[in-house]
Amino acid sequence: MFDGRLSSNLLTANEDINFNLDDIHVPLALVERRQRDKRPGDTPAETGSQLYEPTGYEEKQRFEHQQFLDNILGKGEGKTKGRQIAIIGEPGAGKTTQLQKIADWILEKGPDLPIWISLADLQGRELGDYLLETWLKKAIPLSRLSEQVREDFLAQLEQGRVWLLLDGVDEMATERATAGLPLQQIATQLKGWIASARVVLTCRVNVWEANLNALEAFETYRMLNFNYPTQVEAFIGKWFEHSDAANGEALRQELAKAEYQRLQDLVKNPLRLTLLCSTWQTSEGLPETQAALYKRFVGQIYRWKQNHFPTTEQQRQQLNHALGELARQGIDDATSPFRLRHQLVAEVLGDCDDDKSLFALALQLGWLNQVGVAAEDPDEKVYAFYHATFQEYFAALSIEDWDFFLPREHRECPVPGKRYRIFDSLWKQTILLWLGRKDVQKDKKEEFIVRLIELKDGCGNFYEYRAYFLAAAGIAEFKECDRADEIIEKICQYAFILNIEPDDLREFLTPEAQGARDALQETVRHKVISTLAKLLGDKRSNKYRLWLVAAKLATIDPGNQSGSDALVQIIKNSTDGFTVIIAADALLKIDPGNLEATAGLEKLITKSGDEDISKQAKYILENSDLGHIALSKDAVSSREKPEVLEAVLIVTHNYIENITILEFSIYEDSRWQAADRLAEIARANPDAIAELERILKTYTDNLTLMIAAYALGSIYPGNATALEVLLKILQTCADENCHWQAADSLKKILTTEGKMLHVVNILQNDLYHSTSKQDLKRFFDYYEVIWHCAQNLPYPEFYRAWHDGEDEGELENLTELPDRLSAK
């Protein structure tokens, strides 16, 4: 019950090259990532350096492909028992292929029913309506589609025997009124009778992380790239084993040369590796950027099709230009960026019934394929590029000047009537491809990068950071950039607070610092590795900085020898047990079983004299084979306290009568587990929802109010009552932990553009008036909430909300405010 077309078959587009899924599938590991739910300063050291990785996530466990199928989906391990799974990854990371393998596994295992839905095909329709009115009618002949069949289908769904395999959340049609799009849309649709289905969905990582709270209940697994050389070479071997093994070996040897280190990194992505293999036989040398790789493949398509659909150079140029125009207009339409209606395609490419039109030629060559019909008009066909990354490539070809992404006349406020596509996640990949084009003049690219790193937003610097991080990703494609070293140095300064020596871990965990550490993953790899290795060698560095640098180096380059050597020296020379633990932890991630790391930990266990240090060292040593730090089984069982959760939630007659707070406040971890459980109970119960609303209007205890507000906000994101309660607690509560939790809850329930603008307008005024050292911790909480909004709001709208009703006088530079407050 799913579309089993292999995506790589679409990419080869050659009648003589067609693969079964198992021919070239190299299993990928997935990394489970879960949100931190404790205040950083209260986190025990034994949770390890991964706790401080970017975007509020930590790596918990790695799963190989079969292990993921058997344990997570088969045995139902994990917090959702394998019922709500999100697989996220970069474009071309293999998300669709992974979902296809899951579909195969379900069918082989039986008797469950997998239903494959490309979410872009919904075209604004509700998922429930699509299942009953469209999918069921296609799956069952009309003559047999009785009411009993519908009831049987719903019964199987209620029993948990139906799997919804939802491909491409990021490609869903969206409406402007909801921020966090399109995650919020699918979240609202996976309720009611559909909630009984098992769900596995895929999404691009940048869209997911822009508002992951919308699907917070899901277990999130991030696709890893292939590793080089083992999995990359295995893929190459499988690709060529039936056609020309010697040519495959020649590619392997050429790719292994030192000058192709950048390409080695690029082709860890399965899609890009597929393109490289498919063009290797007819190309000279190897490409160095994504744009060069896509350009090579476009040329290959025309050569493959020349016998059946011959084209002249002029026709190819005309078609490429027209496809670029179509691609650009499509991406600019946020309601349906990757599903193109017939009317639009015909306006750009001509009449499809005219055999000489560009429309007909695009269909013949496979650049476009019909993928369905419009939701509101079944007579109108809908088309798509055969992979979204090629739409982005053609769009990049159509853009002459960087002004299209960032208005040239911008100074320190939005230019009226102009769009700021640099802050739109839909345009990021196209921007990177544009920077990699060889036919764009170097001075144009330099000018664009300079404008990004020197951008002033006039509203608290939130968008300045976003622009700078985009520039960092851009120089990985624009390798000749004159400002590359400066940009990486600045990103490292943001990431590891190099301008000061903080004594508070919280300063390393600000959103901009975490965002900068994210950016290091995307920029020029060898330069980052070199910089991080130098930072590790600085014996004067802050111990928290060493921890973060070591963890980041382990993530970026697990096999890096200079990083390993630096960590060994730290272990040998440091007299501080905590620093040794940091270095050993990172070294064991890079080199499991490393003797220097093992010896250092064993020494701490027997000779440190500090019980906590010995315990942490022992824990890391015992769990080093897992390649990560997690709570031990004993620790977990002692912290969950299920009996406390029962005491907290007293549920009678299917509605909430009371919430007991005394025990609740003792167990830090339990309170948000209880709040989630509360939301789960109330979601299907109008009486419980009414009770939550009554609590918000009548109770005065801040903790009770926060739990009720969070639960209600989880059910109805953007709920005005819940929002106002949390804002009040954030602004007035004197307890530091209380206002931090209110801020954290706000980030989770703020999912509509209007509510975000409201919060920005209110909190910026409080942020602006922070005047004392005592305000520093509250400042961080305000700042994180506003940062969350800035990641999801268009720049012009955020700017207007920021300046609406502000006092006379110049706004403060908020990036300097923490230092100013600390100095008082």
Side-chain angles (χ1 to χ4, degrees):
M1 295 298 183
F2 70 98
D3 181 357
R5 294 175 300 166
L6 178 58
S7 54
S8 53
N9 284 342
L10 296 175
L11 292 172
T12 55
N14 180 4
E15 297 84 349
D16 298 325
I17 301 179
N18 197 32
F19 297 95
N20 292 319
L21 195 57
D22 290 327
D23 287 341
I24 56 172
H25 174 69
V26 177
L28 295 179
L30 296 105
V31 181
E32 180 185 5
R33 296 170 103 69
R34 60 185 178 89
Q35 190 171 14
R36 290 200 310 267
D37 57 3
K38 287 180 62 64
R39 191 174 185 82
D42 298 332
T43 302
E46 64 265 21
T47 55
S49 59
Q50 290 296 332
L51 184 62
Y52 304 109
E53 279 297 279
T55 66
Y57 281 78
E58 62 174 299
E59 178 180 308
K60 184 181 179 184
Q61 185 174 355
R62 295 190 177 206
F63 295 90
E64 297 301 327
H65 175 69
Q66 194 60 45
Q67 181 189 12
F68 175 77
L69 294 177
D70 293 341
N71 294 3
I72 302 302
L73 300 184
K75 296 178 182 178
E77 297 178 357
K79 72 174 184 179
T80 71
K81 309 302 181 186
R83 299 192 63 82
Q84 292 181 306
I85 302 294
I87 297 174
I88 65 174
E90 302 295 341
K95 300 183 294 296
T96 298
T97 300
Q98 187 76 23
L99 203 60
Q100 289 171 327
K101 293 296 289 184
I102 291 171
D104 287 344
W105 175 81
I106 296 170
L107 290 172
E108 291 170 4
K109 179 174 173 287
D112 290 357
L113 173 68
I115 298 177
W116 180 287
I117 299 176
S118 296
L119 289 173
D121 291 341
L122 292 184
Q123 291 288 296
R125 284 172 290 182
E126 291 289 321
L127 182 59
D129 292 341
Y130 180 85
L131 282 170
L132 295 178
E133 301 301 325
T134 302
W135 180 85
L136 199 56
K137 290 179 179 179
K138 289 182 178 179
I140 306 295
L142 191 60
S143 59
R144 295 172 50 199
L145 188 57
S146 63
E147 188 61 32
Q148 184 61 47
V149 170
R150 287 175 178 266
E151 291 179 4
D152 290 344
F153 170 69
L154 292 174
Q156 289 195 49
L157 189 145
E158 187 175 350
Q159 295 167 16
R161 294 180 55 193
V162 174
W163 296 65
L164 299 182
L165 307 180
L166 308 180
D167 193 33
V169 176
D170 47 283
E171 297 184 14
M172 284 184 68
T174 60
E175 297 176 1
R176 181 60 187 276
T178 310
L181 300 172
L183 299 184
Q184 183 55 37
Q185 280 202 17
I186 196 65
T188 59
Q189 295 184 37
L190 291 174
K191 295 177 180 177
W193 60 271
I194 295 181
S196 299
R198 301 185 69 171
V199 179
V200 184
L201 58 83
T202 67
C203 184
R204 285 193 182 188
V205 66
N206 65 320
V207 174
W208 181 266
E209 293 192 347
N211 204 299
L212 49 93
N213 295 318
L215 290 170
E216 187 182 27
F218 274 65
E219 291 176 80
T220 310
Y221 295 83
R222 180 165 179 170
M223 297 290 297
L224 295 177
N225 282 328
F226 289 130
N227 64 55
Y228 182 85
T230 306
Q231 287 184 309
V232 168
E233 292 186 348
F235 185 99
I236 293 172
K238 286 188 177 183
W239 184 279
F240 288 97
E241 67 180 352
H242 298 304
S243 56
D244 190 348
N247 209 21
E249 178 61 17
L251 172 57
R252 187 194 67 77
Q253 293 183 11
E254 186 71 11
L255 184 61
K257 292 180 179 179
E259 60 263 35
Y260 292 116
Q261 184 182 31
R262 168 61 181 156
L263 186 60
Q264 292 167 10
D265 195 48
L266 277 176
V267 298
K268 290 177 183 176
N269 176 284
L271 173 64
R272 293 195 286 268
L273 183 55
T274 298
L275 299 183
L276 181 68
C277 290
S278 67
T279 59
W280 167 246
Q281 291 174 295
T282 56
S283 303
E284 296 182 3
L286 294 173
E288 295 184 348
T289 66
Q290 292 188 61
L293 185 58
Y294 284 100
K295 179 180 180 180
R296 177 175 294 187
F297 186 77
V298 169
Q300 185 77 306
I301 286 289
Y302 286 120
R303 286 191 291 271
W304 280 341
K305 295 288 185 177
Q306 193 67 10
N307 289 337
H308 299 286
F309 303 106
T311 54
T312 65
E313 177 63 25
Q314 182 179 9
Q315 283 178 309
R316 293 192 288 271
Q317 289 181 0
Q318 289 176 342
L319 181 56
N320 289 349
H321 177 79
L323 288 172
E325 179 66 26
L326 176 65
R328 190 177 76 244
Q329 289 191 38
I331 298 174
D332 249 347
D333 180 8
T335 61
S336 185
F338 300 110
R339 289 299 188 268
L340 313 169
R341 295 185 58 153
H342 181 91
Q343 181 179 352
L344 172 63
V345 181
E347 287 175 358
V348 178
L349 300 183
D351 185 357
C352 67
D353 293 329
D354 181 355
D355 291 340
K356 296 182 180 180
S357 70
L358 294 177
F359 197 157
L361 184 59
L363 292 173
Q364 290 168 348
L365 294 171
W367 290 125
L368 294 176
N369 296 279
Q370 184 185 344
V371 294
V373 295
E376 61 274 24
D377 184 0
D379 293 328
E380 183 174 15
K381 297 177 181 178
V382 174
Y383 301 86
F385 285 81
Y386 55 70
H387 197 283
T389 54
F390 282 90
Q391 181 174 343
E392 292 164 328
Y393 172 69
F394 279 112
L397 294 183
S398 73
I399 296 161
E400 293 296 324
D401 191 81
W402 58 263
D403 175 80
F404 180 78
F405 306 121
L406 169 63
R408 186 178 296 273
E409 59 269 39
H410 174 83
R411 294 301 175 260
E412 294 191 21
C413 63
V415 179
K418 290 297 185 76
R419 291 186 57 182
Y420 284 75
R421 293 177 178 87
I422 59 170
F423 301 126
D424 187 337
S425 61
L426 282 172
W427 281 102
K428 180 177 179 180
Q429 185 68 7
T430 299
I431 291 171
L432 299 181
L433 288 164
W434 185 86
L435 283 166
R437 283 174 53 188
K438 293 295 184 183
D439 59 336
V440 175
Q441 295 177 355
K442 181 177 181 293
D443 59 350
K444 281 189 177 182
K445 299 179 188 178
E446 293 283 2
E447 188 178 16
F448 180 43
I449 293 293
V450 168
R451 293 298 294 272
L452 286 174
I453 64 177
E454 295 182 354
L455 182 138
K456 301 297 180 185
D457 62 18
C459 52
N461 310 109
F462 294 95
Y463 289 82
E464 294 177 23
Y465 283 115
R466 291 184 63 182
Y468 212 104
F469 297 159
L470 177 61
I475 61 175
E477 296 298 316
F478 175 31
K479 299 191 302 181
E480 305 82 9
C481 180
D482 296 337
R483 308 289 288 270
D485 291 339
E486 172 191 339
I487 290 170
I488 291 175
E489 180 181 348
K490 190 74 170 181
I491 291 292
C492 286
Q493 179 178 323
Y494 291 148
F496 305 112
I497 324 295
L498 299 181
N499 55 329
I500 57 174
E501 285 296 321
D503 55 7
D504 184 349
L505 178 60
R506 184 80 185 267
E507 295 186 52
F508 284 100
L509 303 179
T510 58
E512 64 270 23
Q514 296 185 70
R517 292 195 289 275
D518 269 344
L520 289 175
Q521 296 284 145
E522 299 184 277
T523 193
V524 186
R525 185 168 171 264
H526 71 275
K527 291 180 181 290
V528 172
I529 292 170
S530 175
T531 302
L532 295 183
K534 290 177 182 177
L535 289 175
L536 278 180
D538 186 353
K539 298 178 182 178
R540 303 165 298 174
S541 191
N542 182 286
K543 63 182 180 182
Y544 298 127
R545 180 177 298 126
L546 284 174
W547 191 336
L548 291 165
V549 171
K552 181 52 64 179
L553 184 59
T555 302
I556 292 177
D557 190 26
N560 180 268
Q561 190 58 45
S562 63
S564 299
D565 292 343
L567 288 168
V568 167
Q569 292 304 311
I570 293 173
I571 293 169
K572 287 182 175 180
N573 299 329
S574 178
T575 58
D576 177 66
F578 186 60
T579 302
V580 172
I581 286 175
I582 292 169
D585 176 25
L587 186 54
L588 287 171
K589 289 183 177 68
I590 298 172
D591 181 15
N594 181 277
L595 295 179
E596 298 290 350
T598 301
L601 292 172
E602 288 175 343
K603 183 177 179 181
L604 289 177
I605 293 170
T606 58
K607 299 180 179 181
S608 71
D610 185 317
E611 184 178 350
D612 288 337
I613 291 291
S614 298
K615 181 180 178 181
Q616 294 163 20
K618 182 179 180 181
Y619 182 81
I620 291 173
L621 189 59
E622 289 176 348
N623 291 274
S624 61
D625 61 314
L626 298 178
H628 70 284
I629 304 302
L631 290 172
S632 68
K633 292 182 179 179
D634 289 341
V636 172
S637 61
S638 67
R639 294 164 71 88
E640 283 184 349
K641 297 292 183 185
E643 69 276 10
V644 175
L645 297 184
E646 293 304 318
V648 171
L649 290 171
I650 302 176
V651 183
T652 307
H653 302 303
N654 294 325
Y655 69 92
I656 299 123
E657 282 193 340
N658 186 29
I659 299 178
T660 303
I661 297 302
L662 180 59
E663 301 94 336
F664 197 45
S665 61
I666 297 173
Y667 297 98
E668 190 78 19
D669 286 348
S670 297
R671 55 183 66 175
W672 300 121
Q673 293 173 3
D676 285 333
R677 174 62 179 153
L678 191 61
E680 181 182 339
I681 294 170
R683 183 168 283 116
N685 193 307
D687 290 335
I689 293 173
E691 181 65 14
L692 286 175
E693 293 175 336
R694 185 188 69 80
I695 288 172
L696 291 180
K697 293 176 181 177
T698 60
Y699 276 52
T700 58
D701 177 80
N702 282 329
L703 184 54
T704 305
L705 289 171
M706 274 196 297
I707 295 166
Y710 170 71
L712 186 59
S714 298
I715 301 167
Y716 298 120
N719 178 274
T721 304
L723 187 69
E724 294 304 326
V725 167
L726 290 172
L727 270 175
K728 183 177 179 181
I729 294 172
L730 176 62
Q731 293 173 295
T732 62
C733 182
D735 178 73
E736 172 192 343
N737 206 42
C738 185
H739 62 69
W740 167 73
Q741 289 174 338
D744 195 52
S745 295
L746 272 172
K747 289 188 294 182
K748 292 174 181 176
I749 72 169
L750 271 174
T751 55
T752 64
E753 183 174 301
K755 293 296 188 292
M756 287 187 183
L757 293 171
H758 173 66
V759 167
V760 169
N761 180 250
I762 290 176
L763 292 187
Q764 72 83 18
N765 191 53
D766 291 340
L767 196 68
Y768 174 69
H769 286 100
S770 297
T771 57
S772 67
K773 187 174 182 179
Q774 286 75 12
D775 288 333
L776 179 57
K777 294 187 185 301
R778 195 184 302 272
F779 163 82
F780 279 120
D781 293 329
Y782 287 177
Y783 192 88
E784 288 196 13
V785 174
I786 299 175
W787 178 279
H788 166 79
C789 297
Q791 307 311 300
N792 294 283
L793 288 172
Y795 166 57
E797 280 79 355
F798 182 95
Y799 181 92
R800 283 191 287 273
W802 183 270
H803 287 281
D804 183 26
E806 69 179 23
D807 292 341
E808 294 294 327
E810 186 177 356
L811 282 171
E812 300 192 37
N813 184 336
L814 295 181
T815 59
E816 299 174 357
L817 186 54
D819 294 340
R820 179 177 64 77
L821 293 175
S822 297
K824 290 192 176 185

